Structure formats: C-alpha cells, structure tokens
Amino acid sequence: MHRLRRRLHTRKCTKAKPAADPCEAEFFRFRWSATILDETQKAIEKILADKDVADATVRASRARASMEAAFEEAMVVDFDQFLSACEGLPDENDAHVVAAALKTQAAVIVTDNLRDFPEELLRRLNLEARSADAYIADTIALDTGRAVAAVRRMRERFRKPEKTADVLLLDMEANGLTETVDVLKPHILSL
C-alpha cells in the first residue's frame, strides 16, 4: 500500500490507523489515487482472509469507504501526464504512485515497498520514499507534544477492548512500527 504525503503541514494496512490520527492533527496530508486505493483494498482483504475472517471482502470494502469518507480531499486524479517521468522504476506498475506524487507536489512517498522506488530516480524528481514506520517516527519527532496528544486521542477511542498505553505500544511494535514505538516510549505516561 502506498500513501503520498506532503511534509511540513506536515503498512501495511495494520499501520494505517496510527498514521491517520497524526494526519487528522494536520501533521501531513494523505494523497492517493483510485489505483492506490484498489491495491489497499486488496491488501486489507488478503490480510483478513489470511486470518480466516469470513466477510473479508465486505470489511475491506468498508475500510476503503471509511478512508475515502474521512479524507475526501485525498483523491488524486488526472495525473497521467506525469507517467512519462516515471520511466526506470523496477516495477513499471508502480508508475501511478510516482505520477500521483508529482501531480500533488508531494515530498514523500510512504511505502513499505522501498526496493521498487530507487532513491536515485526519486531524487531526480524531488521525491523521497520512506517506510511507514520511519515516516511516522519522524513525524512524531517534528512536534512531539502534539503528536503524543494525537496518539493518546487515538488510544482513548479504542473501546472494545480498551487499550492501555503499554498495550498500544505492544500492538504497534507487533505491527512493525518499531521506530515509532522507540520515539513514543519516553512519553508513555502521556499516552
């Protein structure tokens, strides 16, 4: 799953929720295309199906609809004119990600598929690819107080079951957000 983010206003799918709350706090802005959302929906469905969730397709569709409703301004369209600048990617099927980033003048492509977004090629386009974990950790470090408050609000919304700060950090770590957890641990009493 790829997400485009503009820094200075500024997963896989299990990492999306920790990213959404800082977005709501205006640390960055989500940007995606219909193709990116198609890939995201398929990834969510696969994750759920691998866990033997009976209604994986319905839940994946619902997750996509929730993302689109929560971030209506995130949809990027009419980026085909930027596809020619994307030649040289290891996987030509990822050109739409770079084209959408160029269209929105994004600074960062957030993806856990870093090998398909070579640093040299992206640098020529004034872009950078970062893992979700590294990006979230860096975002928290930009304004730790506001970020910790956003993560606390996210944790407080968990109801069934409720989550303590310790459990939230364990869940984040289990989902591969180790850098993010390292940044948050010193602030556990505020989470």
Side-chain angles (χ1 to χ4, degrees):
M1 172 169 90
H2 313 288
R3 278 170 257 143
L4 313 175
R5 297 189 181 134
R6 292 183 71 173
R7 200 185 274 272
L8 296 181
H9 291 79
T10 13
R11 63 199 212 27
K12 296 289 178 177
C13 304
T14 54
K15 298 175 186 171
K17 188 60 184 160
D21 285 276
C23 183
E24 291 167 357
E26 298 182 355
F27 281 93
F28 52 82
R29 292 180 283 169
F30 282 123
R31 295 291 181 252
W32 50 55
S33 66
T35 307
I36 291 169
L37 285 179
D38 291 344
E39 292 174 355
T40 301
Q41 184 173 342
K42 287 176 188 170
I44 293 170
E45 185 175 345
K46 182 180 180 337
I47 289 168
L48 294 173
D50 288 349
K51 293 180 179 181
D52 295 323
V53 174
D55 59 348
T57 302
V58 172
R59 287 186 183 204
S61 179
R62 197 177 321 137
R64 178 187 180 148
S66 294
M67 291 169 59
E68 289 179 286
F71 302 101
E72 293 175 357
E73 73 288 350
M75 185 60 71
V76 180
V77 296
D78 300 326
F79 53 83
D80 290 349
Q81 68 269 25
F82 295 98
L83 288 170
S84 62
C86 306
E87 292 178 12
L89 287 171
D91 182 352
E92 64 187 36
N93 292 323
D94 287 327
H96 67 96
V97 176
V98 177
L102 292 170
K103 165 78 187 253
T104 63
Q105 299 178 348
V108 178
I109 297 171
V110 178
T111 181
D112 287 326
N113 183 19
L114 296 171
R115 73 180 183 282
D116 284 341
F117 295 91
E119 185 178 339
E120 184 177 313
L121 179 111
L122 293 182
R123 190 177 323 114
R124 287 194 325 257
L125 300 171
N126 203 25
L127 289 169
E128 174 186 11
R130 302 290 310 266
S131 71
D133 187 25
Y135 189 83
I136 295 168
D138 288 349
T139 300
I140 291 169
L142 286 174
D143 189 340
T144 305
R146 276 186 40 215
V148 166
V151 173
R152 181 182 58 247
R153 285 190 302 275
M154 175 190 72
R155 182 189 62 77
E156 290 170 343
R157 285 196 293 250
F158 288 111
R159 296 286 178 229
K160 294 182 183 179
E162 290 185 18
K163 290 193 183 208
T164 65
D166 288 318
V167 170
L168 176 66
L169 293 183
L170 285 172
D171 287 352
M172 292 171 82
E173 193 167 46
N175 285 305
L177 296 174
T178 55
E179 290 180 53
T180 301
V181 169
D182 288 344
V183 172
L184 289 172
K185 271 184 184 174
H187 309 284
I188 196 160
L189 296 176
S190 299
L191 293 176

